[in-house]
């Protein structure tokens, strides 16, 4: 029984192995012919694949019916012949015509096709079929378009085997017009980017139905095709395929898409360009910022160096007077141990007349202050404006003038000593006379003590002479003592005579004619001692100027003009050049070999202390007049208007 079982096994294996083959053998083979050059309906790709609308339709129907398709790509005329000869079962896409209907059976129409007449865009002569007379028209052989031209007289046709070739005849300029498949023409021309070069003359040709064709009597196949088509309509396959092949060429849609794409590209390009510009600009900006920062750092270092290396203390204050910045000099000048920043200026410089200085924000103030260590500071307070000219605080500059002041004082006293030296000769004479008189009386005293005349003369003369000596000593003290300004009411004549008295001997010996013309009533509110010093300086200068003159006259006059008293001292000396006159009051300006040049400087200073002025007028080789003018002028806190 073993071998029997072996047979069954073999049979089973046979069944399992060959059953699929047997099923396949039952598949129906359908031979499909089509125009191989009719895109987008049917065409052969360069790689040998077949694509197109009708190809996809038959593929979908074949998969419904389990058909195996056998593709037969042919030229149109051959394809018609092949169907006619029974070499194929179906012809994809045939236009329904009566002539064909006698030979073939048609499925239901699945496309409405119209022929198109295409002419170059600039053509102005062809608008109707009749206008094709005498023209060359490109057509496809055995195509319905040829039938349309039958009625046109004297038309010349270039006949090709496919729509593609017919179209090529138009695009290469061999024909004046193309008559053929509208969809294929558009598909090809768009692909070659020449669709815009041609115009469609539409509305001329009636649309015709487009369907599958089978041999006559092949009704079973025809039914399957119709069923298949209906199924494709129902399940949406038809719509999908239709839009895939034909809607991309729908003019408004492509335009819209093209515009959208161009727009998007433009936006993208603009975006990229602006991004790039922004990037480059940013880079440049960064470099610029770096450069400027370095520059600024240099400037800051420079400014700090300048600030620290001046000989003045510089402080910046906020609007309330609190210190915001100080330089190195400020730190060394002021004996403040703690941090200066943030403190009020009055903590550092209590003597500064701060309240007066910050009253007016458009003014600058300067003046001198003496601190408790008898240091002398010159201050300068200026409003600090920012770039927008807004007041943001104050700048205070302080200079230590202590040493300068001491030097000045020393020199002024030297000048005094010098003048004193000159005075001494005259004073010696002055003292010698009363001394001689007193000495004589004292020598005669033992002998003549009982003589009543002698006694009365002694009692009259000795006190007189002593008083005279006392006066001379007083004058000297007035001159040399340095004491606070002591204003008192003084007779001008008295004042002048007291000074003239000091020079009497000298006037005599130098043969100077002295003229004094002053009213006894003229009074003046001054510090006698200091004004005397001025008069002495001026008289000494006058005597020195007249040293070389043949006629020497010193004239002193005084008077009153409105409120002010004036005194003039005129000499007949050498006089001065204009240039010399402009420098007279500079300290240490002198033209004399033994001169110091402080006489006039000090005199002017004294006059200012009295709110007065010292003026000069001079003519060379004629003489010089100095005028002392006393008036009312307030110069207590000196404000410098720099607006
Ligand atoms: P000094 O007498 O020490 O030279 P002053 O200040 O008194 O200094 O005078 C300055 C200069 O002014 C003198 O050197 C002189 O050139 C000129 N000067 C002053 N007074 C007269 C004058 N009366 N006539 C001509 N020159 C004068
Ligand atoms: Mg002098």
């Amino acid at each position: 029984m073993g071998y029997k079982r072996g047979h069954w096994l073999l049979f089973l294996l046979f069944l399992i192995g060959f059953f699929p083959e047997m099923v396949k053998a039952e598949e129906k083979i359908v031979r499909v012919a089509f125009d191989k050059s009719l895109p987008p309906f049917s065409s052969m790709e360069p790689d040998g694949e077949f694509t197109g609308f009708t190809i996809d339709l038959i593929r979908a129907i074949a998969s419904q019916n389990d058909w195996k398709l056998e593709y037969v790509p042919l030229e149109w005329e051959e394809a018609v012949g092949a169907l006619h000869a029974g070499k194929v079962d179906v012809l994809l896409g045939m236009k329904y015509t009566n002539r064909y209907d006698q030979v073939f059976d048609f499925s239901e129409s699945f496309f409405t096709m119209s022929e198109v007449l295409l002419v170059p865009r600039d053509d102005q002569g062809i608008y109707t079929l009749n206008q094709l007379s005498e023209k060359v028209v490109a057509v496809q052989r055995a195509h319905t378009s040829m039938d349309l031209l039958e009625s046109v007289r004297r038309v010349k046709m270039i006949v090709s085997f496919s729509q593609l070739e017919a179209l090529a005849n138009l695009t290469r300029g061999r024909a004046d017009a193309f008559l053929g498949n509208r969809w294929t023409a558009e598909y090809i021309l768009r692909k070659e980017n020449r669709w815009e070069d041609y115009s469609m003359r539409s509305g001329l040709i009636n649309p015709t139905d487009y369907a599958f064709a089978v041999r006559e009597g092949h009704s079973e196949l025809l039914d399957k095709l119709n069923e298949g088509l209906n199924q494709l309509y129902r399940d949406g396959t038809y719509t999908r395929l239709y839009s895939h092949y034909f809607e991309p060429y729908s003019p408004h849609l492509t335009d819209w898409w093209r515009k959208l794409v161009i727009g998007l590209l433009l936006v993208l390009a603009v975006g990229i360009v602006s991004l790039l510009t922004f990037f480059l600009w940013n880079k440049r900006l960064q470099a610029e910022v770096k450069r400027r920062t370095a520059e600024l750092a240099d400037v800051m270092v420079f400014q700090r160096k300048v600030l620290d290396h001046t000989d003045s203390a510089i402080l910046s204050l906020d609007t309330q007077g609190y210190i915001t910045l100080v330089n190195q000099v400020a730190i060394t000048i002021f004996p403040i141990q703690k941090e200066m920043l943030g403190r009020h200026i009055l903590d550092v410089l209590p003597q500064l007349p701060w309240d007066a200085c910050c009253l007016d924000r458009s003014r600058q103030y300067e003046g001198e202050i003496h601190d408790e260590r008898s240091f002398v500071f010159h201050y300068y307070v200026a409003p600090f404006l920012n770039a927008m000219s807004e007041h943001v605080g104050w700048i205070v500059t302080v200079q230590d003038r202590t040493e300068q002041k001491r030097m000045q004082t020393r020199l002024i006293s030297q000048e005094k000593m010098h003048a004193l030296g000159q005075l001494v000769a005259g004073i010696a004479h002055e003292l010698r006379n009363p001394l001689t008189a007193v000495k004589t009386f004292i020598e005669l005293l033992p002998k003549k003590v009982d003589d009543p005349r002698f006694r009365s003369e002694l009692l009259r003369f000795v006190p007189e002479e002593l008083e005279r000596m006392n006066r001379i000593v007083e004058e000297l003290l007035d001159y040399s003592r340095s004491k606070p300004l002591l204003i008192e009411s003084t007779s001008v004549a008295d004042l002048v005579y007291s000074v003239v008295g000091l020079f009497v001997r000298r006037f005599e010996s130098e043969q100077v004619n002295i003229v004094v013309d002053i009213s006894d009533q003229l009074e003046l509110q001054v510090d006698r001692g200091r004004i005397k010093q001025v008069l002495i300086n001026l008289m000494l200068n006058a005597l020195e100027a007249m040293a070389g003159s043949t006629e020497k006259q010193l004239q002193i006059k005084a008077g009153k003009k409105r409120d002010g008293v004036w005194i003039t001292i005129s000499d007949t000396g050498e006089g001065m050049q204009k240039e010399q006159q402009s420098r007279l009051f500079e300290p240490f300006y002198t033209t004399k070999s033994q001169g110091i040049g402080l006489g006039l400087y000090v005199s002017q200073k004294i006059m200012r202390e009295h709110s007065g002025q010292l003026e000069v007028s001079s003519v060379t080789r004629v003489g010089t007049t100095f005028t002392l003018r006393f008036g009312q002028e307030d110069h207590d806190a000196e404000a410098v208007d720099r607006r």
Side-chain angles (χ1 to χ4, degrees), residues 56-69 232:
D56 283 354
L57 282 183
I58 198 70
R59 265 188 196 136
I61 294 169
S63 78
Q64 287 169 17
N65 292 294
D66 285 337
W67 294 340
K68 183 178 161 53
L69 294 179
L232 295 186

Side-chain angles (χ1 to χ4, degrees), residues 127-238:
Y127 291 94
T128 64
L129 284 181
N130 287 335
Q131 284 170 332
L132 286 172
S133 143
E134 301 287 346
K135 300 283 183 199
V136 181
V137 185
V139 289
Q140 186 187 2
R141 192 180 171 82
H143 197 260
T144 43
S145 50
M146 284 184 76
D147 305 339
L148 286 166
L149 288 177
E150 268 171 12
S151 58
V152 182
R153 273 186 286 166
R154 294 193 305 281
V155 69
K156 292 166 197 151
M157 287 187 259
I158 307 185
V159 182
S160 312
F161 283 101
S162 69
Q163 291 284 312
L164 290 188
E165 285 165 28
L167 213 69
N169 283 332
L170 174 73
T171 56
R172 287 181 196 146
R174 289 190 210 122
D176 300 312
F178 161 85
L179 188 63
N181 187 316
R182 180 212 182 291
W183 297 101
T184 307
E186 184 176 346
Y187 177 87
I188 298 296
L189 289 176
R190 277 197 191 279
K191 211 160 120 182
E192 293 177 359
N193 235 339
R194 302 191 59 181
W195 178 240
E196 309 294 337
D197 300 348
Y198 296 92
S199 292
M200 265 198 295
R201 303 296 191 225
S202 50
L204 302 172
I205 299 141
N206 287 336
T208 45
D209 286 339
Y210 200 56
F212 297 126
V214 300
R215 266 185 304 151
E216 198 152 41
H218 239 120
S219 53
E220 193 193 338
L221 183 56
L222 206 58
D223 289 347
K224 292 274 182 213
L225 286 171
N226 285 334
E227 261 171 43
L229 277 173
N230 278 328
Q231 177 62 32
L232 295 186
Y233 290 138
R234 279 197 299 274
D235 66 14
T237 309
Y238 179 88

Side-chain angles (χ1 to χ4, degrees), residues 415 537 541 544 592 599:
E415 163 76 17
N537 285 335
N541 281 348
E544 281 160 354
K592 300 164 194 165

Side-chain angles (χ1 to χ4, degrees), residues 358-499:
C358 62
L359 271 181
D360 189 345
R361 288 176 171 184
S362 59
R363 283 186 143 204
Q364 309 184 340
Y365 291 86
E366 65 182 321
E368 232 168 51
I369 45 177
H370 301 253
D371 77 354
E372 66 279 359
R373 302 166 297 166
S374 61
F375 276 56
V376 182
F377 293 117
H378 184 90
Y379 67 85
Y380 192 80
V381 179
F384 184 24
L385 307 181
N386 67 7
M388 268 90 72
S389 293
E390 295 161 344
H391 181 261
V392 290
W394 305 89
I395 296 283
V396 178
T397 316
V398 180
Q399 266 178 341
D400 183 355
R401 294 269 173 91
T402 314
E403 199 43 48
Q404 200 180 328
K405 280 281 156 185
R406 278 181 196 149
M407 183 93 145
Q408 230 173 43
T409 321
R410 263 205 302 280
L411 284 167
I412 288 170
S413 62
Q414 246 179 55
E415 163 76 17
K416 270 189 194 166
M417 296 313 286
H418 177 77
L420 210 60
Q422 296 210 16
L423 279 174
V424 164
I427 289 158
H429 279 291
E430 290 293 320
L431 287 180
R432 193 177 292 143
N433 287 345
L435 269 178
T436 312
V438 171
K439 188 178 164 222
T440 313
F441 273 111
I442 295 198
E443 279 170 356
L444 289 174
L445 194 60
K447 270 192 248 164
K448 294 204 169 186
V449 70
D450 295 326
D451 184 343
R453 227 185 104 222
F454 173 79
R455 276 212 305 269
S456 79
E457 275 189 1
L458 181 136
L459 286 177
R460 190 161 64 88
F461 280 112
V462 169
E464 230 174 56
E465 293 300 314
L466 285 177
E467 176 53 28
R468 190 172 149 81
M469 284 194 282
N470 188 42
R471 249 191 0 250
I472 293 170
V473 171
E474 275 298 319
E475 302 291 350
L476 268 175
L477 285 177
D478 263 358
Y479 183 73
S480 59
R481 233 183 268 148
S482 145
K483 48 191 179 186
L485 210 61
L486 180 73
I487 304 289
E488 52 190 333
S489 192
T490 310
S491 151
V492 180
D494 266 7
L495 194 67
V496 171
Y497 282 120
S498 75
V499 178

Side-chain angles (χ1 to χ4, degrees), residues 415 418-419 422 536-538 540-542 544 589-590 592 595-600:
E415 163 76 17
H418 177 77
Q422 296 210 16
I536 289 167
N537 285 335
L538 295 178
L540 281 172
N541 281 348
E544 281 160 354
Y589 174 77
T590 178
K592 300 164 194 165
I596 291 179
L598 278 175
L600 288 179

Side-chain angles (χ1 to χ4, degrees), residues 60-99:
I61 294 169
S63 78
Q64 287 169 17
N65 292 294
D66 285 337
W67 294 340
K68 183 178 161 53
L69 294 179
E70 202 178 288
Y71 298 105
V72 186
L74 295 167
E75 270 160 11
W76 177 245
E77 206 180 354
E78 291 173 342
V80 176
L83 184 64
H84 196 61
K87 288 180 188 155
V88 294
D89 304 310
V90 187
L91 180 57
L92 300 183
M94 181 174 261
K95 271 189 200 147
Y96 180 87
T97 59
N98 280 336
R99 189 152 57 90

Side-chain angles (χ1 to χ4, degrees), residues 14-34:
F14 172 82
L15 272 181
I16 293 164
F18 292 96
F19 187 71
E21 283 299 308
M22 287 162 68
V23 172
K24 262 194 188 160
E26 276 182 14
E27 259 183 359
K28 185 176 162 67
I29 293 178
V30 176
R31 294 163 300 167
V32 180
F34 53 89

